[in-house]
Amino acid sequence: MNYQTYFQENREQHIGELKEWLSIPSISALSEHKADVKKAAVWIAEKLNQAGLENVKIHETEGHPIVYADHLHAPGKPTVLVYGHYDVQPVDPLHLWETPPFEPTIRDGKLFGRGSTDDKGQLFLHIKAVEAILQQEKALPVNIKFCIEGEEEVSSPNLPGFLEQNEELLKADVVLISDTSLLEKGRPAICTGLRGLCSLEVQMNTANTDLHSGSYGGGVPNALHAIVTLLNSLHDEKGRVSVAGFYDDVPALTPEARAEFVKQSVDEGKLQKDLGLEALFGEEGYTFAERTGARPTLELNGVYGGFQGEGSKTVIPKEAHAKITCRLVGNQNPQDILNKIETHIHSHVPVGATVTVTQLEKGNPFTIDPSTPMLQKAAEAYEHVYGVRPVFTRDGGSIPIVETFSRVLAAPVVCMGFGLPDENLHAPNEHFNLENFDKGLLTIVDFLGRV
């Protein structure tokens, strides 16, 4: 069957449907959009039905719904579970959008709109690929299931429980996810590692009130000075985390793994220039690609306290705050890391201050061997459509649910992304390059045939 012709003939209709879905403001983080999130779930359930999927059901959760569908008419053939999410990030700052975020617009071969690349656009490809095979051949080469959630952008609080409660329903030979990106235009990549995540907040307190810096300056502790001293103790001067035991479960980088990072061809000089930096910085002994893909981090995301308005106010603040996140790799356990950081913090509190630590998010790292047969089939599919074999990468970001799928279902996870790194996901002017919309459809059809 000539799928290229089929997709070309139906391209306008497919993109029109995607625009309709993108126009629904399914922002899971904002309670005022709860009805919109449900509307997006109902919309995709209808499209799954229209595509020929069966047993389509919207499962309610304590948060936003999970949509399930399947087509199980290929006895003796593998079962593929497609995961994706229909919720999107908030749109702030709105004034930086060139066109309204929920009025999808095509410019320069790119489809602009919130959710276009993360993840509605990429997920939509799978539904249209399955629909195309059913329309052309009246049967699928594999059994297929869809599990589509509406809470990925708020850390998927209800999906792990759903997976564990519905393990038999979701059982599969491979989990297929399109929520990552190519290395660059024309250079596909298959993600074989995602960093885990943990986060915490620190509150430093000194006096029971803010104090006049003339009357008390030099005679009492300052909460801002105290928190700066504490935070400075978390790293050494060479960028290595100083928390005891932080690196205990971090595997050494093998020569083979380092060779894969070299294939990414990261131009550190150009990167530095593009970012307007005087120099790159990070853990000594590692390249930028290695630091951001295979090494753990401890980052300050926010430090605040005292007077921040216009002009000056001669005050000694009574409290200061910091927000901290860590990216984790290997066998690092998020709870273990949080406990180690909290121990470090309590043992480094400056004289005259007290500290409160609040532990927040936790997500496990994910890794998979590139030689896994399903990943090799994905590589062959990319090579057939793009004309170049993909690079196996480790991504610095975190998608904690990937590790959950792998562990609960005991199935390999194939991260077959079609976005590009510069498509502004989570930022104003998010977009999806339509070249990868077209090639993505063909790649998915090819992959399902190889499976």
Side-chain angles (χ1 to χ4, degrees):
M1 297 292 175
N2 189 336
Y3 284 99
Q4 191 154 2
T5 300
Y6 171 88
F7 287 126
Q8 206 56 43
E9 289 174 350
N10 290 277
R11 189 175 192 263
E12 190 174 337
Q13 179 189 331
H14 290 168
I15 291 176
E17 290 177 14
L18 177 55
K19 282 183 173 181
E20 190 179 315
W21 198 25
L22 293 175
S23 70
I24 303 172
S26 50
I27 304 171
S28 55
L30 302 178
S31 57
E32 62 261 37
H33 285 285
K34 187 173 177 65
D36 294 314
V37 179
K38 180 64 178 285
K39 183 179 178 182
V42 171
W43 190 95
I44 201 60
E46 290 173 355
K47 288 302 169 189
L48 289 163
N49 256 317
Q50 292 170 16
L53 276 298
E54 300 170 347
N55 301 310
V56 180
K57 184 176 179 181
I58 296 175
H59 294 264
E60 297 296 339
T61 72
E62 290 182 7
H64 301 300
I66 294 169
V67 182
Y68 174 85
D70 62 35
H71 194 281
L72 309 175
H73 299 288
K77 300 295 173 117
T79 298
V80 177
L81 173 65
V82 176
Y83 162 79
H85 64 93
Y86 62 85
D87 64 320
V88 300
Q89 281 277 325
V91 297
D92 313 77
L94 189 59
H95 71 278
L96 294 181
W97 287 80
E98 291 182 29
T99 49
F102 296 109
E103 293 179 20
T105 307
I106 294 176
R107 300 194 302 274
D108 303 321
K110 304 169 184 176
L111 176 58
F112 286 79
R114 177 57 94 222
S116 54
T117 189
D118 180 22
D119 178 45
K120 288 179 178 177
Q122 296 200 55
L123 172 60
F124 188 74
L125 297 176
H126 291 275
I127 298 168
K128 289 302 158 185
V130 168
E131 181 181 72
I133 298 171
L134 286 172
Q135 291 206 7
Q136 296 267 85
E137 305 182 37
K138 311 305 178 191
L140 296 177
V142 294
N143 301 294
I144 200 153
K145 301 175 180 179
F146 281 83
C147 177
I148 305 170
E149 70 158 323
E151 297 183 319
E152 194 274 344
E153 299 294 5
V154 289
S155 302
S156 305
N158 292 293
L159 187 56
F162 181 81
L163 291 183
E164 290 168 2
Q165 293 160 19
N166 295 276
E167 190 176 335
E168 193 58 37
L169 176 70
L170 299 170
K171 187 177 179 182
D173 297 290
V174 58
V175 180
L176 181 58
I177 301 175
S178 293
D179 197 9
T180 52
S181 66
L182 280 68
L183 204 57
E184 59 186 32
K185 179 179 167 64
R187 291 188 69 199
I190 296 175
C191 174
T192 63
L194 290 159
R195 293 194 287 189
L197 175 74
C198 65
S199 66
L200 64 151
E201 292 184 1
V202 179
Q203 179 172 319
M204 187 73 73
N205 288 88
T206 49
N208 58 10
T209 183
D210 287 355
L211 296 167
H212 189 291
S213 67
S215 302
Y216 293 91
V220 297
N222 180 313
L224 280 173
H225 292 184
I227 204 166
V228 168
T229 300
L230 170 66
L231 298 177
N232 193 49
S233 75
L234 293 169
H235 294 86
D236 68 18
E237 350 173 290
K238 296 183 177 178
R240 188 174 171 85
V241 177
S242 301
V243 174
F246 186 82
Y247 293 96
D248 285 355
D249 297 307
V250 177
L253 269 178
T254 65
E256 293 78 14
R258 299 197 101 155
E260 286 296 324
F261 281 112
V262 171
K263 290 179 185 177
Q264 294 185 31
S265 308
V266 176
D267 185 337
E268 294 194 2
K270 181 179 184 301
L271 177 67
Q272 179 181 321
K273 184 178 179 183
D274 289 346
L275 296 176
L277 292 170
E278 292 297 318
L280 298 179
F281 179 77
E283 190 183 359
E284 192 175 52
Y286 297 93
T287 65
F288 175 84
E290 291 168 346
R291 288 171 183 163
T292 57
R295 298 298 294 172
T297 67
L298 188 156
E299 297 286 356
L300 307 181
N301 306 120
V303 180
Y304 53 99
F307 178 66
Q308 297 175 56
E310 185 177 356
S312 66
K313 181 183 181 184
T314 53
V315 65
I316 297 173
K318 73 181 184 73
E319 65 181 60
H321 306 260
K323 294 178 182 289
I324 299 172
T325 55
C326 296
R327 300 291 178 169
L328 311 176
V329 301
N331 295 314
Q332 284 183 303
N333 178 283
Q335 186 60 63
D336 175 60
I337 294 299
L338 285 171
N339 292 343
K340 287 172 175 172
I341 295 171
E342 184 163 354
T343 297
H344 177 99
I345 287 171
H346 283 296
S347 65
H348 286 75
V349 179
V351 173
T354 59
V355 72
T356 303
V357 177
T358 304
Q359 298 186 10
L360 300 170
E361 301 164 284
K362 294 186 282 282
N364 291 317
F366 164 77
T367 55
I368 186 170
D369 188 338
S371 66
T372 302
M374 287 295 181
L375 267 66
Q376 291 299 314
K377 291 181 187 299
E380 291 162 9
Y382 271 123
E383 188 171 15
H384 178 75
V385 174
Y386 282 83
V388 58
R389 195 162 180 84
V391 176
F392 290 102
T393 63
R394 296 195 199 180
D395 289 3
S398 304
I399 312 177
I401 201 63
V402 173
E403 185 275 339
T404 308
F405 271 112
S406 174
R407 174 171 41 82
V408 174
L409 301 182
V413 178
V414 177
C415 292
M416 180 178 267
F418 298 100
L420 284 175
D422 62 355
E423 289 181 334
N424 288 20
L425 63 165
H426 292 207
N429 302 309
E430 179 182 349
H431 57 276
F432 189 23
N433 281 262
L434 293 179
E435 174 188 352
N436 292 319
F437 179 92
D438 299 330
K439 289 184 175 179
L441 289 164
L442 296 170
T443 305
I444 293 167
V445 168
D446 188 282
F447 174 70
L448 295 178
R450 291 176 191 275
V451 170

